[in-house]
Every structure is written in C-alpha cells, then in structure tokens.
Amino acid sequence: MSNLGFALEGAWKVLAAGLILGAGLPALFALGIRALAFGAGGDAEVNGGRPHRTGKVMAYALFAIVILGVLLGITFIVASGFGKTISFEHIVPTIVDK
Amino acid sequence: MSAALRAGNSCRVTETTVILALVVITALGFDFTNGFHDTANAMATSIATKALRPRTAVALSGALNLAGAFLSVEVALTVTNAVVRIKNANGTPKASLTADGGEALLLIVLAVLVGGVVWNLLTWLLGLPSSSSHALFGGLIGATVAGLGWSGVNWNGDGSKLDGVIGKVILPAVLSPVIAAIVATAGTWLIYRVVRGVAQRFTDTGFRWGQIGSASLVSLAHGTNDAQKTMGVITLALIAAGDWHSTSSIPWWVKVACALSISLGTYLGGWRIIRTLGKGLVEIAPPQGMAAESSSAAVILASSHLGFALSTTHVATGSILGSGLGKPGALVRWRVAGRMATAWVITLPSAALVGAATWYLAHLVGGLAGAAVIVALLVAIAALMYGRSRRTPVDRTNVNDDWHETQREGV
C-alpha cells in the first residue's frame, strides 16, 4: 500500500473519533445548556417558559457525561506521557503499555 | 601521545563544547518561538469571545504547557527518523557523522534550528499561524540535503508504513485541516440547532465555560507534544558531542529548560497570531469557540492515539474555519484563509532554503567560527524583525479590535 493509502486509512479513523468526541460531546453539552434553561425558565428561554425541576436534573446528568469524556482525554495525555496508552478493547477504557 | 597532538585534541574538545552550547541555546530559542507561535491555537477563540481576559488566557495556557512538558517522560529521539537519515534505528547518530567529535552533526542541527527560528519569527511578524513542526522539518530537510546530499532525506518511505517526508509531513498537513474543519462544522451546526430557543445571554455564559475547558485540553496536549521535540533535538546534540550516552532517557536539565522555555514563550503570547486566528478568520461567538476547541482537542488526541502525527496549528486553524462554516450566516474571511494556506505551502520549502543556506555559510567559514557566524546572523535577523514589529505593535490591549480587511497586518 502507498503512503496515500496509509494516510487515508488513518484519516478516516481520526475523522470518526473526532466526530464522536469533538462534535458529539459539545452537542451533549449544548443539550445540557438547553435543559438547564428549560429548568430555569423565565428569561433563560426566548419564549419565557415556566421553570421545570426535571430540566435541572437532566442538565447535570448531561454535564457529567461530558466531564467523563474530558477526563478520558486528560487520562490519555498523562498516560501517553508515561509511555502508556488507553485500550478500548474491552469497551471500558483501560490503561495499557504502548 | 605527543604534547602537540594532545593540545590539538583538547582544542577540538573545547571547540565542540562551544558549538554544543550554541546548539543548546538556539534550540531553547526555537522552543520559545514555538511557544508564542502556538498560544493562539488554544487561546485565540477564548480571547476573542472574552471567555478569558487576554492576560488570564496566556497565563493559563503557559501553566498547562509547563505541566504538559513535564508529563512527557517518553524520549522523542526518533522524531526525525521518518524524515532524514542521520541516525540509526535506535536514535543514536550515525558513526560517520560523529567521527570528528560530532562537529559535522552539530553544524547540521544548528543550521536546522536557525532555519526554524527565522521562519517562525517571519510568520509571527506577518501574523500568520504556520506550523512550528513544519519549520523544524523544513530546516532539517534543507540542512540535510546541503550537508549529506539528496539521498540523506527519506522522501517517500519504503511503502511498508506511513513514512518519509510525504507520509509523515505533507499528507497529514493536507488532510488535518480538512478533518478538523469537518468536525468543527458538524459540532457548530449541532450546537446552534440544539440551543435554538434558549436566550443568548444564557447560552453565552454556559459556552464560555465549555470553551475554557476545551482550550485547556488543547494547551496540555500541546505541552506534551511540542516540548518533547526540542528535548529530542538537544539530547541528539549531546549524544553527538559525546556528553550523553543513553537513548532511553534525557538529562533532567534539558527537560526543565525546555519546559520553562516553551511555557514562557506561551505566556508571552504571540498576539499578532492570536489576533489573526481569533478576529481575522471568523467572527467568533462562544458556541463556535467551544465547537472549535473541542474539535481541535478531539482531533489532536485521536490522531496521537492512532500514531498519525498532526500539526496543532493546522488542526486549530481548520477547526476555527469550520466553526464559521457551521453557523448559518457567519462571516468567514476567505482572503485571510487563503493567506494562511499560502503560508503553509511555502513553510516547508522556505525553512528548507534557510536551513540549507545557513549550513553552506557555516560550512564555508568552518568549525566554531562558522557556528558563531550563523548564530550572530540569527540574532541580527531576530532583532531586525522585532524592531519591525514595534511599528505596528499588537498586544493584549488591542488584540480584540475590529478587523479591517484593508489594513496590512504586520508589514
């Protein structure tokens, strides 16, 4: 296989991971903000709706998922500094030797 | 051993030591320019949307780069192996290059660094975010061709893996801004779609926080990646001069010096480049800023996980462009984007030319005098460019001023 083949093979993997983590997590964060506004009601929403408690709960659940994603990123940076990497082989991320 | 020969030997040793000192100082200088050239990658959007005050942003980014540089325990000695043939597979320099006490290799390394610094300063003066890694690789290719001939460069690899100048430098540079732009476009579009109906006052506060978090990740990743390159170059020089023998560890003072140098550079902030990326390319709102930095962080981390080396600068620029494409009706200045693309295309050959010319000059003068001449020349050029930059200063007070496309930034 030529260099171009190897590069395209790497590129689509980076694109897939990028779309899930780099566009998916921000979208979840946006959902969290929307839920928070729904929870706050009043002038947080354009239509000035009533406050809803469920909105707040949903918002914090979504923010928790986003924070987990960020922690995964930090773990990867720290781990690769020590010559380790994160394996997704068993779905649950585990730190293994490179 | 006769007295004369002994005197000659000790003279050579001192000469090598002085050249080595020049290499180390120039390498730290390169690391410093690498720092301020790349502050914009992480912090331009946060400064433009006022998520962080300019001074806070550069301080945060500098601190995270410092932390990141100390986190990298791995040795990046083989970083140049994919591009030039000056080292054995284990990272030690080839015996033929160190036969004369290491001077031949030290001169090549010095010319590489001079080429890299000159190109970094020129692009900074013009406010263009070009890749520091490309400047380094360009200088490396130029000085190697000059010193060892065309066969000293690994152009296309052997077809067994992603390798050579084309595989490790050119293809990633073409693909990475496109990937980052697609991710950021998707992210921006999704975010604006999801928060439709939420008051802007409310979203702006939330996304500013998201922006700070994602920009911090980019800074940390930058510290681990980029400081390591200079650590590798300095360690290579030390091995060439016979002052260090391990290829699996680096001297602690090299690590401390490189970490401090890159974080100081980051803290200084390349305001000219921050302005271009934050205000020039796209008019950025907090949701776009968060989408851009998340895309950068995800693409950089995913690619380093997959061993697909990308330039932080190319990724960050692609992401910011994408955040303009994903927001309906957003303003994207294609002329600015075109100028950046031009700078990227000419970075590699230009740094190569500077590196080659510098090597010829040093070689012509020869030995310690040659090394001293090119370092003196570098200092003169740096002073000239700094003087030029003072005519139209950009700093934290005017970094966010409105962008007028008619104005000539820099020169």
Side-chain angles (χ1 to χ4, degrees), chain A residues 1 3-4 6-8 10-11 13-15 17-19 21-27 29-31 33-34 36-37 40 43-47 70 73-74 76-78 80-83 85-88 98, chain B residues 71-74 156 159-163 166-167 171 175 179 182-183 186-187 190-191 194-199 201-203 206-207 210 217 220-221 224 290 294-295 298-299 301-306 308:
Chain A
M1 196 159 42
N3 259 329
L4 185 64
F6 288 117
L8 289 176
K13 282 185 196 157
V14 173
L15 180 63
L19 281 173
L21 298 171
L25 284 180
F29 186 83
L31 264 180
I33 299 241
R34 180 167 205 141
L36 206 58
D43 66 355
E45 291 180 291
V46 174
N47 60 12
V70 173
I74 297 176
F76 174 68
I77 298 175
V78 176
S80 59
F82 287 92
T85 191
I86 296 177
S87 162
F88 295 96
K98 239 181 210 172
Chain B
L71 278 177
S72 50
V73 172
E74 259 191 315
N156 204 9
S160 65
K161 61 180 191 320
L162 199 59
D163 199 19
I166 293 180
L171 284 175
L175 291 170
I179 297 173
I182 295 174
V183 173
L190 279 171
I191 287 175
V194 165
V195 298
R196 202 181 286 166
V198 179
R201 176 191 60 78
F202 198 81
T203 54
F207 285 114
L217 263 182
L220 193 65
T224 48
M290 173 169 160
S294 307
S295 157
V299 171
L301 292 177
S303 64
S304 74
H305 182 77
L306 296 164
F308 186 72

Side-chain angles (χ1 to χ4, degrees), chain B residues 301-321:
Chain B
L301 292 177
S303 64
S304 74
H305 182 77
L306 296 164
F308 186 72
L310 298 183
S311 155
T312 322
T313 309
H314 294 154
V315 173
T317 313
S319 292
I320 292 173
L321 191 69

Side-chain angles (χ1 to χ4, degrees), chain B residues 86-119:
Chain B
I86 55 173
K87 291 184 290 186
N88 303 316
N90 65 0
T92 54
K94 289 205 164 141
S96 57
L97 286 171
T98 51
D100 57 346
E103 251 184 61
L105 188 60
L106 286 179
L107 271 193
I108 291 181
V109 174
L110 191 61
V112 169
L113 291 166
V114 170
V117 174
V118 167
W119 188 250

